[in-house]
Amino acid sequence: MKFTSTHRMAVAASAIIVLALTGCTSSGSEGASGSGESDTGTVRIGINESLSGNLVAYGISASAAIRMAAEEINDAGGIQVDGVSYSIELVERDNLSTPTGAVAAQTELVEDEGIKFIFGPTIGALSLQSVEIGKGQDVIQLSPSGAWQVSGYVSNPDYPYVFSTQVAQDELAVVRVDLIEQIGADVVGLLGSDDDTTAGTVPPIQAELEKRGIEVVDVRFPTDASDLSPYLTRLKSEGADVVFYVYPQARGAEAARITADLGAAKGFVTTNTPASVALEEAVGGPLPIPWASAYGTPSFEYPANERIEAFTEKILAFEPKLPLDVASAVFWFYDYVAMLAEAMEQAGSVEDVPAIAEALQSITYDGVAGRICYRENERIPSADIGSVFVVDGEVESKNTPSSCD
Amino acid sequence: MTSLVQLLFDGLVGGAIYALIALGITLVYGLTKIIHFAVGEMVTFGAFLALTFLGLTGGNYVIALLSAIVGVSLLGLVTERTMFRFTFDSPLSGFIVSLGLILVLQGVIVEIWTSGSQSARPAVGGAIDISGVSLRYQSMINLALAAVILGSFYLILRRTKFGQALRATSDDREAALLMGVPIRTIAMTTFVIASALAGVAGWIVLTMGTVSPFVGTSYVLRGFAVALIGGLGSVSGAVIAGVGLGVVENLAIGFLPPGWTDVYVFALVVVVLLIRPTGLRAGAEGAHL
């Protein structure tokens, strides 16, 4: 077919009409259309997560939780602001599990897409650089990053829109050191991979241990360490009574078993995982030494309650391939999407970032993970802390409620 | 003293795994001059295959081991027939293919199994305590398995016609061809053997506790370092360097700041290669099987 000038004009005119129509009906981050009771709009929320690479398990857990929460909010009618129903539109970017990838994803979301609300990255090692991209801009960023807390981003007034979604590390440290004292220790061996996540988790525990007069031996292994035996032998030779295993959680069972096999310590304490059933499965029976775990999110196992069980069923139906060894990461996101939506409703805006941040700071929310609220003058949440203490397979679980009113 | 012995023992076990992987790398290099980096992903594939068969058989570790060996050997055969055979005369292309294969296999493993880590318990749990040194039963099994395989392979290489053909092809491909050695078949078999060794290594890694789709990367880096130190293409060099590296690595963890382990390991590689650029067991013209 030969194109004539008439054809070209027709095509150009059609393109202009399509573009014009698109501009009218779709929205940018806060667009609204229509009138009266049927007013609708869209709020765009970014996800900067590890959707590939070696941290993909955390990324897909986070992404699943955010997608499910957004879907539920949309199905329930969206975010209601001034008579307009805003549905959530998610924009996902893969940070490739690398710090440079996290920066690139953040830049794309903030600069190119103009997004003002971003979840992630989950892992501390990726979160530190990405936070600088939003500095000085009206962008609310939420992540469980422990490194943010230790580095002071979530208390620093220069970063007023950076919000942690992980329970305060110092509150967690108190519960964790209580567990260590329950086993009894003069010397505690801290063991974790040599990265920003461990670096972000250790200082509050170390400070709490030293406050109680307990000596600390800190041993880090390279992230690609093939065998943990020599590291535990080192802790044993340094006289550790209890091993406190920090990160990554996926190697917790391995560390526990080697601790018991080598007689490296008389007790074992971990951070968020493993749950006792998973640990028994991995060890081949109850761990022959006392072990304990305290975590800032509910695990899928403890404290067992109907709310967690129902949520577990729901999220596994939503994302059947969820890797359960790290899936407690979903609790760092699911409730916070709803909290952000509630903050927008309270602020009466989906674009006024300072007002939304202020509302988010003041909300007390009853979520799946328990009662959540932000501390005064800090963007660090107080939330329920679950813990287990296991001796000879007998499990004693405890819930330390958040300090929210 | 007990710590020293403990570290030496665990170093021997770790070194044996490095030697198995390095042997695969060095065999393929010796025959084809291809640096086969995807061996690490084959280790991972073997570990996950073994894990699957552990589940299917209700915890039969022998069947799991056999499944890892057979499955990864088949994978080696398929990759040789469909990819590497076309790079036989162009080792650099073969190296690039192996890099691409790493990403492909990682993606396949994530899709088939999981993106996260999987824990597995040892075939035999517990340890025997000898004067304060804990010898874990599984570590002893792993060490014995690796020693039997490495020893058998050494004998095959030295005492059989196949071994003779392998060495002849490694020494001079054209001369071997003129003498009637089926060098294409030998090369294919070498890929299968290297893969089978990776399958065994995968099973051993699984019994150590945790596997993830990316676990092979750390092993292959050390395996490659071992192959370099031993002399690329040298079987005895791979074994000596593997065990040596495992022991040095463990002693460094035990007595030096442990976070720097990778630095010690790869600094050692640099030092050895500065002193002997072709590796410990190689002559001036490079190593031969």
Side-chain angles (χ1 to χ4, degrees):
Chain A
M1 190 176 99
K2 191 178 174 184
F3 270 84
T4 64
S5 58
T6 317
H7 277 118
R8 287 194 197 97
M9 281 182 68
V11 170
S14 305
I16 289 165
I17 290 165
V18 167
L19 284 172
L21 285 173
T22 309
C24 288
T25 55
S26 72
S27 55
S29 79
E30 295 90 25
S33 69
S35 61
E37 289 179 4
S38 62
D39 280 358
T40 58
T42 307
V43 179
R44 301 175 83 208
I45 293 180
I47 301 175
N48 177 352
E49 277 301 346
S50 305
L51 304 177
S52 65
N54 62 348
L55 298 170
V56 65
Y58 293 94
I60 63 169
S61 299
S63 170
I66 296 164
R67 283 186 285 115
M68 190 169 87
E71 201 174 289
E72 286 175 1
I73 290 167
N74 290 345
D75 289 348
I79 301 165
Q80 308 298 323
V81 173
D82 286 339
V84 180
S85 298
Y86 290 90
S87 61
I88 296 172
E89 180 191 325
L90 296 174
V91 181
E92 284 192 281
R93 288 292 177 269
D94 181 7
N95 61 37
L96 311 172
S97 303
T98 64
T100 48
V103 169
Q106 190 77 359
T107 306
E108 211 176 314
L109 289 168
V110 174
E111 305 287 348
D112 300 348
E113 299 287 346
I115 287 172
K116 293 182 179 300
F117 311 99
I118 296 171
F119 282 93
T122 296
I123 299 298
L126 308 183
S127 67
L128 288 173
Q129 294 90 337
S130 72
V131 79
E132 295 295 339
I133 306 297
K135 189 185 178 190
Q137 303 199 47
D138 282 357
V139 176
I140 291 179
Q141 189 177 359
L142 301 104
S143 159
S145 166
W148 275 4
Q149 290 190 25
V150 174
S151 306
Y153 284 108
V154 281
S155 339
N156 188 337
D158 291 341
Y159 300 85
Y161 307 130
V162 174
F163 285 79
S164 177
T165 62
Q166 185 176 182
V167 69
Q169 294 289 302
D170 51 356
E171 290 180 24
L172 259 176
V174 171
V175 177
R176 285 168 175 166
V177 176
D178 283 347
L179 293 170
I180 289 169
E181 282 197 322
Q182 202 172 335
I183 294 172
D186 294 322
V187 182
V188 169
L190 300 179
L191 180 68
S193 62
D194 195 6
D195 60 22
D196 283 350
T197 302
T198 302
T201 309
V202 162
I205 294 163
Q206 191 158 2
E208 187 64 30
L209 285 166
E210 282 166 0
K211 201 165 90 182
R212 301 193 200 186
I214 299 171
E215 197 184 321
V216 175
V217 180
D218 188 357
V219 167
R220 311 275 172 99
F221 54 84
T223 50
D224 64 348
S226 48
D227 181 13
L228 298 183
S229 305
Y231 300 94
L232 284 155
T233 299
R234 174 73 178 256
L235 286 179
K236 183 182 180 183
S237 71
E238 303 258 2
D241 300 311
V242 169
V243 169
F244 184 92
Y245 179 78
V246 184
Y247 177 82
Q249 285 99 340
R251 297 191 78 169
E254 181 189 348
R257 182 174 52 242
I258 298 171
T259 301
D261 282 352
L262 299 183
K266 65 179 181 184
F268 184 84
V269 180
T270 75
T271 50
N272 290 345
T273 51
S276 74
V277 169
L279 187 63
E280 282 190 26
E281 177 65 24
V283 174
L287 197 67
I289 53 174
W291 75 272
S293 175
Y295 31 84
T297 69
S299 82
F300 283 104
E301 189 184 2
Y302 296 107
N305 63 43
E306 285 177 9
R307 196 180 59 215
I308 300 297
E309 280 171 11
F311 177 78
T312 307
E313 202 174 307
K314 198 165 62 171
I315 190 99
L316 284 175
F318 185 81
E319 179 58 76
K321 286 189 81 178
L322 206 63
L324 280 177
D325 56 333
V326 297
S328 56
V330 296
F331 295 107
W332 284 326
F333 291 95
Y334 179 77
D335 290 329
Y336 291 86
V337 179
M339 283 177 76
L340 182 62
E342 195 175 313
M344 288 174 180
E345 291 185 344
Q346 274 194 22
S349 169
V350 293
E351 58 187 75
D352 185 349
V353 166
I356 294 166
E358 199 181 327
L360 188 59
Q361 181 94 41
S362 67
I363 286 171
T364 296
Y365 183 79
D366 285 312
V368 173
R371 205 165 172 74
I372 305 168
C373 63
Y374 279 96
R375 288 171 166 188
E376 210 174 324
N377 302 324
E378 280 182 318
R379 278 101 46 212
I380 302 173
S382 181
D384 293 2
I385 297 172
S387 62
V388 292
F389 192 90
V390 187
V391 181
D392 295 329
E394 292 295 315
V395 182
E396 178 192 312
S397 67
K398 190 178 157 192
N399 190 60
T400 306
S402 73
S403 55
C404 308
D405 294 332
Chain B
M1 185 61 188
T2 52
S3 290
L4 177 68
V5 179
Q6 183 79 59
L7 290 164
L8 283 172
F9 173 72
D10 288 331
L12 272 177
V13 179
I17 304 175
Y18 298 155
L20 280 176
I21 296 167
L23 183 57
I25 293 172
T26 221
L27 271 177
V28 171
Y29 181 84
L31 262 288
T32 65
K33 300 290 179 263
I34 293 170
I35 297 171
H36 190 8
F37 253 121
V39 164
E41 271 49 48
M42 299 213 167
V43 172
T44 312
F45 195 81
F48 275 98
L49 213 51
L51 188 67
T52 301
F53 275 84
L54 268 183
L56 291 175
T57 59
N60 189 322
Y61 281 82
V62 176
I63 293 178
L65 173 61
L66 294 176
S67 71
I69 294 171
V70 173
V72 183
S73 298
L74 280 174
L75 180 65
L77 179 66
V78 169
T79 53
E80 197 279 335
R81 288 290 85 192
T82 58
M83 300 174 200
F84 290 108
R85 64 185 287 223
F86 301 111
T87 67
F88 199 55
D89 296 320
S90 172
L92 184 60
S93 302
F95 170 61
I96 291 165
V97 165
S98 82
L99 292 182
L101 194 57
I102 290 174
L103 298 176
V104 171
L105 287 177
Q106 279 181 358
V108 168
I109 290 165
V110 166
E111 283 307 313
I112 295 179
W113 285 284
T114 176
S115 54
S117 298
Q118 298 276 313
S119 291
R121 56 173 182 258
V124 183
I128 182 170
D129 189 282
I130 301 174
S131 306
V133 178
S134 299
L135 306 181
R136 300 169 70 205
Y137 295 124
Q138 187 61 51
S139 296
M140 289 193 275
I141 291 170
N142 292 347
L143 187 60
L145 178 64
V148 167
I149 288 173
L150 292 169
S152 306
F153 193 80
Y154 187 80
L155 288 178
I156 289 169
L157 204 60
R158 295 285 149 192
R159 304 274 170 86
T160 66
K161 269 200 151 181
F162 171 74
Q164 229 171 11
L166 209 73
R167 285 186 288 129
T169 311
S170 168
D171 280 345
D172 189 330
R173 197 190 285 180
E174 282 182 16
L177 188 62
L178 289 172
M179 297 302 289
V181 175
I183 61 169
R184 290 279 182 173
T185 309
I186 293 285
M188 183 186 73
T189 312
T190 305
F191 269 91
V192 173
I193 291 170
S195 305
L197 292 170
V200 175
W203 182 87
I204 292 177
V205 169
L206 180 74
T207 62
M208 287 169 69
T210 312
V211 288
S212 81
F214 311 97
V215 72
T217 311
S218 61
Y219 280 99
V220 82
L221 279 178
R222 282 168 171 74
F224 185 63
V226 164
L228 279 177
I229 295 175
L232 263 173
S234 168
V235 172
S236 56
V239 175
I240 293 165
V243 171
L245 191 78
V247 168
V248 167
E249 186 179 15
N250 271 31
L251 291 178
I253 293 165
F255 298 106
L256 297 170
W260 290 65
T261 313
D262 282 350
V263 178
Y264 311 137
V265 167
F266 291 100
L268 181 69
V269 176
V270 171
V271 170
V272 170
L273 293 180
L274 279 174
I275 298 167
R276 284 185 68 89
T278 51
L280 293 176
R281 300 283 292 169
E285 292 175 12
H288 298 286
L289 293 174

